[in-house]
Amino acid sequence: MMKLMPGNPFIRLIPFTAMLAVSTAANAQPESAKPDSAKPFTVLPLEESASRGITTRDPSSIVKCKDEYWVFYTGRGVPSYRSRDLVKWERGPAVFKTAPEWIAGIVPENRHMNYWAPDIMKLGDRYLLYYSVSSMGKMTSAIGLATNPTLDPADSAYHWTDQGFVIRTKEGDGYNAIDPSVFHDDDGSLWLTLGSYWSGIKLIQLDPKTGKRIAPDSRMFSIAYNESIEASYLCKHDRYYYLFVNWGSCCRGPASTYNIRIGRSQAVTGPYLDKAGVDMLHGGGSLFLATTNGPLIGPGHAGTLNANGKNWFTSDFEGDLRIGGKATLAIMPLRWNADGWPEATVNDVKANRPAQSATK
């Protein structure tokens, strides 16, 4: 969610979400409860359009609870959407109604509960939700953890428990503790990728029992770098680990330059090499999704999903030209080619029919 000022890689412009926070009153209504400003439209099937027509900036991985799919995204209290079919989506509740107490002491400038770029996973009998807390263009940041045995708000067991912070950064640390993405390996180990700009993408190991860092001083691995890099996502297919990252700038609608890059490794800690064999830590990164895909501009915050017997790639696009340039949640067919590299199909590139909002 961060943008560089020209000429200095260590000075930041105010993030889009931080600017939103400044203009939001302390008693503002949670985003999950706000009415949609645009007139609803009939949604197109997944096979015809990636765009779901709902604005979910920096979406989490999509997870299932009972018979519903859930996605969480940047906003006040970590808002959510829910769907029974991945096609039509309606608003769900936000994770937090009040700010966790630890935030005021660690990130004091975050005063409006505007939390960024969450990620979620079901591990055992509970859901682990990681989210970013930061301030205006600074390295003073933290990644928090909240847990819940269910995502169904009608279930009597439904309750989000604040587990505190997982990792934090201060000015001068050289990296930024935002944009978390959680990964559960086949051997049972749990990992978290994080980072935005500065010195790039980092990887730490988590304790599967707590969801927190395995030790306060556990080793941190540097796995990818670019002058403008963030929004990492890690997954495994066959014998390779795949690292997705964003290059470019976000938060400017159709003027955004976000694009998704990829590399792979035979070890979770790297090195991650692109298709040309270049290490992502040294500028490597094969293009996975370009900035412009027909009417969809600026893909970001990758995820993968297996649902209904099919593989899907999930992200947002910073602008959909068919809905006034608004950001949109996207779900696209995903395949793995003969060389073992993933490929997403953006059917909107060839579609002539307009994308329509799925918001209820």
Side-chain angles (χ1 to χ4, degrees):
M1 289 298 299
M2 307 285 281
K3 288 181 280 188
L4 287 171
M5 293 185 76
N8 191 335
F10 296 101
I11 300 177
R12 301 294 192 258
L13 289 177
I14 295 175
F16 173 82
T17 48
M19 290 189 289
L20 284 180
V22 171
S23 63
T24 303
N27 61 350
Q29 188 181 22
E31 183 166 345
S32 59
K34 292 180 182 178
D36 294 300
S37 59
K39 182 179 178 181
F41 295 93
T42 302
V43 69
L44 294 179
L46 294 174
E47 291 76 14
E48 295 184 39
S49 175
S51 175
R52 298 299 91 211
I54 56 171
T55 298
T56 55
R57 290 192 177 277
D58 318 322
S60 69
S61 299
I62 294 175
V63 294
K64 194 172 186 181
C65 178
K66 300 179 181 178
D67 59 352
E68 287 189 307
Y69 296 95
W70 290 81
V71 66
F72 297 82
Y73 60 100
T74 288
R76 181 175 171 84
V78 190
S80 68
Y81 272 96
R82 61 203 293 184
S83 172
R84 293 186 180 275
D85 59 7
L86 296 174
V87 178
K88 296 181 179 180
W89 293 80
E90 62 183 41
R91 293 185 185 274
V95 173
F96 298 109
K97 295 181 180 179
T98 59
E101 292 183 1
W102 61 267
I103 290 176
I106 291 179
V107 191
E109 293 189 35
N110 186 292
R111 302 185 183 96
H112 301 288
M113 293 179 59
N114 201 28
Y115 307 141
W116 311 341
D119 196 28
I120 189 168
M121 167 183 289
K122 186 177 185 184
L123 187 63
D125 59 358
R126 63 179 181 167
Y127 292 86
L128 308 176
L129 183 136
Y130 298 86
Y131 60 99
S132 312
V133 184
S134 195
S135 55
M136 298 179 189
K138 294 184 179 180
M139 214 179 297
T140 302
S141 306
I143 291 171
L145 171 64
T147 59
N148 201 330
T150 179
L151 301 182
D152 179 6
D155 192 316
S156 61
Y158 179 86
H159 176 73
W160 286 104
T161 301
D162 168 34
Q163 303 290 352
F165 72 91
V166 177
I167 186 171
R168 62 179 293 194
T169 48
K170 304 182 296 296
E171 298 307 306
D173 281 349
Y175 70 100
N176 202 5
I178 65 171
D179 286 9
S181 179
V182 61
F183 169 69
H184 191 211
D185 205 350
D186 298 336
D187 64 3
S189 60
L190 193 65
W191 301 84
L192 191 76
T193 63
L194 62 133
S196 173
Y197 287 78
W198 276 287
S199 61
I201 305 302
K202 311 299 180 181
L203 174 73
I204 58 173
Q205 188 171 2
L206 306 177
D207 182 343
K209 294 180 181 179
T210 64
K212 307 287 280 291
R213 192 169 182 176
I214 199 165
D217 58 350
S218 64
R219 182 176 177 183
M220 175 178 289
F221 300 87
S222 295
I223 55 175
Y225 173 78
N226 183 265
E227 186 175 281
S228 58
I229 191 170
E230 58 188 5
S232 57
Y233 172 75
L234 192 61
C235 69
K236 190 176 184 181
H237 179 75
D238 292 337
R239 61 193 179 97
Y240 284 104
Y241 299 88
Y242 292 82
L243 177 64
F244 297 80
V245 298
N246 265 97
W247 289 5
S249 63
C250 71
C251 314
R252 294 186 292 152
S256 301
T257 61
Y258 253 6
N259 60 91
I260 297 178
R261 302 281 172 156
I262 190 172
R264 68 184 183 185
S265 174
Q266 291 186 334
V268 68
T269 55
Y272 286 87
L273 309 181
D274 65 14
K275 294 179 181 180
V278 180
D279 192 334
M280 293 182 74
L281 192 57
H282 302 294
S286 296
L287 185 64
F288 177 76
L289 275 182
T291 298
T292 302
N293 297 268
L296 296 171
I297 312 298
H301 291 266
T304 56
L305 173 68
N306 183 274
N308 304 320
K310 298 180 180 179
N311 292 316
W312 304 94
F313 181 78
T314 66
S315 72
D316 66 357
F317 280 92
E318 292 296 302
D320 185 338
L321 300 180
R322 299 159 300 182
I323 54 174
K326 293 182 179 180
T328 183
L329 176 68
I331 303 175
M332 296 151 272
L334 178 69
R335 65 177 292 270
W336 299 85
N337 67 23
D339 295 323
W341 290 95
E343 297 174 347
T345 302
V346 186
N347 288 314
D348 307 73
V349 173
K350 297 181 180 180
N352 295 316
R353 294 172 60 186
Q356 297 170 320
S357 171
T359 305
K360 290 187 178 180

